[in-house]
Amino acid sequence: MNIHEYQAKQLFLNYGIPIPDGKLAVNAENVTHIAQALGGDSWVVKAQIHAGGRGKAGGVKLAKTLAEVVSVTNDMLGITLATHQTDAAGLPVNSVLIEQTYPIERELYLSLLIDRSTQRMSFIASATGGMDIEAVAEHSPEKIISVSLHPAAGLQDYQCRKLAYALALSGGQIKTLANIMRGMVRLFLDKDASQIEINPLIVTGSGELLALDAKINFDDNALSAHPDIAALKDPTQEDDRENQAQQFGSVYITLEGNIGCMVNGAGLAMATMDIIKLKGGQPANFLDVGGGTDPEKVAKAFKLILSDSHVKAILINIFGGIVKCDTIAEGILAAVKETAINLPIVVRLEGTNAQLGRDLLNNSGLNLTAANDLDHAAEQIVMLAGAQ
Ligand code: GDP
Ligand code: MN
């Protein structure tokens, strides 16, 4: 799960990571007072969306007068902001963070994540902050430094110093960086984060370190243990279909193709998408309807898939283990009738009572084909989607 920058900064504050003074605004009414209370003679107004790349997309703007704070806030609130990290539609801006500005001497990059290759928590740092770390990694990988934490020993002082020297910090900044790194590790472990990113971590004109931006991702599977974090969820920043699927115990992820997929089991869903691609097609979604696939769930999943206008054909790939294939077939038939689908559907049923299920589908008189194996099912669906 992602959270907003202002929420991440609040967590930073609790863990001793220095942040700029700032305040959230959901309308322009009080922003003059907010800016006055913050002090200084210029402010930065930052669109709160669950994506980076806001700077280049006009979601981070400098205001040099109180009147500008108001006009910039008015311009940002209510728009949908598209950045290179969002899809073309963008995300709604329902709030802005107003902060004091600081003279920026240098912009650094610092993040903490789990490095899958070493299976350890690792810090990634670079003196070239403020830009896409992916681009730095691609074009000048020598500018990226990392240290990985031993699971028993944890973060060591020499590792903090190593990063501090690599970032050309000196004097009191070295200790501050160590404190920031320790705070990040505690936050990461306490709240089951999967990534904490500060880009940029700035060195101000007077030599102080400040987290100018803050991004935290949390492990969804640990959210039930952290109600305080789960409460930070903002559904307006998430795909509506993904939210709906969650409500009936399924996992849906929007993709860019035109073949709707309904599958039970994440592994089977991945394999289904692979084979669709292998046959030259493009899946419109990943959908794991989950175990205990009952007719009601099938109907809900159908409606979800159909709400995507890109879908030209639907492939159902279900393994009947706990629920028998004939029961699933009945569910599919009921759902097809209920939703009045007129798109071609190919169904691959395997497992208990598979033949019974296939017979039910084939004799239904509806626009749907029961395939005997996945290979043929994928070939057929790609052909049917292409013909639409
Ligand atoms: P992102 O583009 O979504 O990652 O948003 P950031 O919060 O990282 O802001 C983008 C850029 O805006 C930063 O790299 C800074 O260069 C600039 N910026 C953000 N806040 C301030 C500020 O308070 N003062 C100044 N001068 N620049 C800022
Ligand atoms: Mn940033």
Side-chain angles (χ1 to χ4, degrees):
M1 187 185 89
N2 289 327
I3 59 172
H4 286 292
E5 175 194 6
Y6 79 91
Q7 297 167 325
K9 281 181 168 165
Q10 193 56 50
L11 286 164
F12 279 9
L13 204 60
N14 299 344
Y15 283 83
I17 300 165
I19 53 162
D21 277 342
K23 202 156 183 220
L24 191 76
V26 292
N27 59 54
E29 270 169 38
N30 289 324
V31 295
T32 315
H33 293 123
I34 290 175
Q36 273 172 332
L38 289 171
D41 53 11
S42 68
W43 301 269
V44 63
V45 181
K46 310 182 76 176
Q48 297 301 289
I49 57 169
H50 281 191
R54 296 165 301 166
K56 285 188 194 118
V60 177
K61 288 213 169 120
L62 210 66
K64 294 209 167 91
T65 62
L66 291 173
E68 263 180 36
V69 175
V70 176
S71 65
V72 170
T73 302
N74 270 323
D75 289 349
M76 269 185 203
L77 284 174
I79 63 164
T80 50
L81 183 66
T83 79
H84 74 271
Q85 289 187 11
T86 68
D87 60 17
L91 291 167
V93 181
N94 299 319
S95 60
V96 296
L97 178 63
I98 299 170
E99 285 183 341
Q100 234 183 49
T101 56
Y102 296 83
I104 300 177
E105 188 79 25
R106 293 199 295 137
E107 299 196 18
L108 314 173
Y109 176 94
L110 182 64
S111 71
L112 178 60
L113 44 78
I114 293 171
D115 179 351
R116 283 161 195 263
S117 62
T118 57
Q119 302 181 350
R120 290 180 178 194
M121 287 167 69
S122 296
F123 275 100
I124 310 285
S126 174
T128 56
M131 50 173 111
D132 254 357
I133 196 69
E134 286 84 1
V136 180
E138 195 181 327
H139 301 298
S140 31
E142 75 285 354
K143 289 187 178 147
I144 293 184
I145 337 124
S146 67
V147 297
S148 72
L149 276 53
H150 187 278
L155 181 62
Q156 300 291 303
D157 287 347
Y158 79 89
Q159 295 181 307
C160 300
R161 284 195 298 274
K162 180 182 165 186
L163 282 199
Y165 295 139
L167 296 173
L169 298 175
S170 60
Q173 296 168 342
I174 298 172
K175 200 171 155 222
T176 308
L177 184 79
N179 284 335
I180 293 173
M181 290 171 71
R182 286 196 201 97
M184 288 168 79
V185 171
R186 276 195 298 128
L187 172 55
F188 197 99
L189 294 173
D190 281 0
K191 306 292 182 190
D192 284 308
S194 48
Q195 185 177 11
I196 302 178
E197 186 184 63
I198 307 178
N199 187 25
L201 172 69
I202 59 158
V203 182
T204 67
S206 54
E208 274 170 283
L209 293 179
L210 277 181
L212 211 63
D213 195 6
K215 187 176 176 200
I216 310 181
N217 296 322
F218 296 94
D219 181 349
D220 286 346
N221 294 315
L223 280 178
S224 57
H226 305 290
D228 56 330
I229 301 299
L232 302 179
K233 186 181 173 79
D234 181 355
T236 71
Q237 301 293 313
E238 286 167 17
D239 189 303
D240 193 40
R241 286 188 206 102
E242 293 177 17
N243 288 329
Q244 287 179 42
Q246 261 175 27
Q247 274 158 24
F248 61 86
S250 299
V251 179
Y252 179 101
I253 294 161
T254 304
L255 301 170
E256 276 151 13
N258 61 2
I259 298 174
C261 303
M262 189 192 310
V263 189
N264 66 340
L268 193 58
M270 299 288 264
T272 306
M273 295 191 305
D274 277 352
I275 199 161
I276 287 174
K277 288 211 163 197
L278 190 69
K279 301 292 179 187
Q282 294 292 340
N285 66 279
F286 168 98
L287 171 57
D288 171 12
V289 284
T293 310
D294 55 55
E296 209 181 316
K297 238 182 178 182
V298 171
K300 282 181 178 155
F302 260 128
K303 284 178 195 158
L304 209 57
I305 293 173
L306 289 173
S307 69
D308 178 356
S309 60
H310 298 109
V311 171
K312 298 287 175 243
I314 299 173
L315 175 60
I316 302 175
N317 184 14
I318 288 186
F319 181 83
I322 300 166
V323 183
K324 296 186 181 72
C325 288
D326 49 329
T327 312
I328 294 167
E330 277 164 11
I332 293 171
L333 292 175
V336 170
K337 281 179 198 154
E338 189 199 329
T339 49
I341 300 179
N342 53 14
L343 296 176
I345 302 171
V346 175
V347 187
R348 184 252 184 171
L349 283 179
E350 202 46 80
T352 317
N353 290 355
Q355 195 51 50
L356 256 173
R358 280 183 219 127
D359 291 344
L360 276 171
L361 296 174
N362 281 331
N363 301 329
S364 68
L366 295 170
N367 182 15
L368 97 201
T369 320
N372 285 326
D373 63 75
L374 185 52
D375 205 62
H376 282 117
E379 252 162 38
Q380 266 182 310
I381 204 71
V382 171
M383 196 254 304
L384 289 164
Q388 288 290 304

